[in-house]
Amino acid sequence: MTKERVKVLIIGSGPAGFTAAIYAARAGMKPVLYQGGQPGGQLTITTDVENYPGYPEGIMGPQMMVDFQKQAERFGTDIRSGMITAVDFSGWPHSVTVDNKTEIEAEAVIISTGASAKWLGLESEQRLNGRGVSACAVCDGFFFRGQDVAIVGGGDTAAEEATYLSKLVNKVYMLVRRDEMRASKIMQQRVLNAPNIEVLWNSETDEVLGEEEVTGLRIKDTVTGEKREIEVQGFFVAIGHKPNTDIFKGFLDMDSAGYIKTIPGTSKTNIPGVFATGDAQDKIYRQAVTAAGSGCMGALDAEKFIAEKEVELQEAAL
Ligand code: NDP
């Protein structure tokens, strides 16, 4: 196994990771960033991004991530492809293994590994992804103004997104697979009060219909097994996200869903010198702009940690 020592190691290449890189590089910390399995992160699977400030005409998600990367490179970030296969945060410097063959010793680690939307797993859902199928109502709802859409899920995300969509579109069908929702009472109430949301209880998605773009859904009653079709132009999947944090289990404090716990108002985890940013620690907002903001916090926290550690080591050497 080859060994290397770096000051700041950033894991992940979404808005959080690249923003951390921009700040860390400009602070002279020569960050090394590993891109992970989906370089550019979740924005590379969206189309237009119209809610990121600074782009009055909007920008395509993949292009935005190319721009983030260029900006991080411009200040000297060492961007590498590779997957982190193991970590050891039990001592210091922190040890991170890449592709089972390189061990990096890092003075500070910034985790920006993001989260992945859960999908139903239908072939039609994947084929029409970005062509009417979306996992983010806040990102894509606007494109369905005045149209009919469906959203699947019965949790807080689905309830919140259904309510959000109801203000933009003509009609929202909300497919809930049981006869009750998991969402909090207040969120459910908002759904039930919206005149243009129709909750379809005991309903699951059998197929997303359409060749080039979504034209409808075939839904199945989970009690009777009966199938029927509805016409919609948009189909939103809101059945939860999974943070990409499995590799850190055992070292970092997490909630039951795997989101890394940070000290409120900071990016600090329970391990000094390990910082968590973006969707890996945020199950509520999950926006590019909030991820970028938390990436900035990660870099500033890492910079401060390294400066304090240097003083500590100098004092210990005297
Ligand atoms: P949840 O795991 O809470 O809910 C997922 C929902 O999707 C459930 O209703 C579940 O049904 C349904 N579901 C799962 N798999 C399928 C499937 N294959 N087909 C159909 N339906 C399916 O995820 P959320 O993203 O909603 O919320 C995650 C966390 O974030 C929660 O703790 C939530 O409270 C929190 N949150 C809070 C918000 C707020 O406070 N403003 C906003 C958004 C999220 P079933 O119930 O039958 O399992």
Side-chain angles (χ1 to χ4, degrees):
M1 179 128 14
T2 54
K3 262 199 178 193
E4 186 184 352
R5 168 95 178 226
V6 307
K7 255 187 172 12
V8 175
L9 182 73
I10 300 168
I11 310 174
S13 53
F18 280 134
T19 305
I22 292 164
Y23 274 78
R26 291 188 79 249
M29 292 192 287
K30 296 190 169 47
V32 170
L33 180 150
Y34 277 93
Q35 291 185 305
Q38 187 178 21
Q42 291 185 84
L43 279 173
T44 59
I45 54 164
T46 60
T47 52
D48 298 73
V49 178
E50 296 183 330
N51 54 9
Y52 198 94
Y55 294 98
E57 306 303 327
I59 181 165
M60 298 301 277
Q63 182 58 45
M64 187 176 176
M65 295 325 295
V66 169
D67 291 348
F68 268 61
Q69 177 164 346
K70 276 194 200 148
Q71 196 172 348
E73 278 168 340
R74 181 178 153 211
F75 298 109
T77 307
D78 182 350
I79 296 173
R80 303 178 184 175
S81 53
M83 285 295 282
I84 304 308
T85 44
V87 299
D88 185 348
F89 295 154
S90 60
W92 190 88
H94 300 299
S95 163
V96 173
T97 307
V98 185
D99 293 332
N100 290 315
K101 55 178 196 271
T102 308
E103 187 191 345
I104 311 252
E105 281 186 348
E107 294 178 21
V109 177
I110 301 175
I111 297 170
S112 317
T113 46
S116 307
K118 291 187 196 163
W119 297 98
L120 297 171
L122 299 170
E123 179 278 323
S124 50
E125 168 196 54
Q126 290 311 311
R127 182 169 47 80
L128 293 165
N129 196 341
R131 289 185 281 165
V133 174
S134 164
C136 179
V138 178
C139 318
D140 298 327
F142 188 73
F143 304 117
F144 301 95
R145 287 185 316 281
Q147 301 184 331
D148 292 350
V149 302
I151 183 162
V152 55
D156 278 330
T157 302
E160 191 170 71
E161 297 202 341
T163 310
Y164 176 85
L165 288 168
S166 71
K167 293 174 188 145
L168 291 172
V169 304
N170 178 53
K171 169 146 193 170
V172 182
Y173 295 98
M174 184 168 175
L175 277 66
V176 178
R177 66 178 171 182
R178 293 184 290 134
D179 61 359
E180 58 177 6
M181 284 187 217
R182 183 187 290 264
S184 55
K185 283 280 168 281
I186 181 160
M187 304 287 244
Q188 292 194 36
Q189 214 48 57
R190 282 187 199 147
V191 166
L192 300 172
N193 287 345
N196 59 344
I197 302 179
E198 184 181 344
V199 180
L200 304 176
W201 303 101
N202 298 316
S203 296
E204 64 184 23
T205 316
D206 196 51
E207 204 67 78
V208 188
L209 305 173
E211 285 303 318
E212 293 302 316
E213 48 192 32
V214 173
T215 56
L217 291 182
R218 187 164 65 235
I219 56 180
K220 184 176 161 189
D221 188 305
T222 52
V223 179
T224 63
E226 205 176 295
K227 292 183 185 176
R228 69 184 176 104
E229 292 184 3
I230 56 171
E231 262 183 46
V232 290
Q233 289 77 49
F235 178 58
F236 291 88
V237 180
I239 60 170
H241 282 76
K242 188 182 177 319
N244 303 317
T245 57
D246 287 353
I247 197 101
F248 309 113
K249 279 194 179 129
F251 292 105
L252 299 183
D253 289 347
M254 298 177 187
D255 71 8
S256 58
Y259 288 92
I260 298 170
K261 288 187 181 168
T262 52
I263 297 173
T266 77
S267 63
K268 294 176 188 170
T269 67
N270 58 304
I271 303 278
V274 178
F275 305 93
T277 68
D279 288 12
Q281 52 83 55
D282 171 20
K283 66 179 174 193
I284 305 286
Y285 301 104
R286 297 196 299 245
Q287 300 301 299
V289 69
T290 49
S294 87
C296 160
M297 290 164 67
L300 296 179
D301 287 343
E303 189 185 349
K304 187 153 179 280
F305 171 82
I306 289 172
E308 285 170 0
K309 197 77 187 172
E310 278 167 8
V311 171
E312 197 184 296
L313 292 175
Q314 276 164 12
E315 282 173 359
L318 289 177

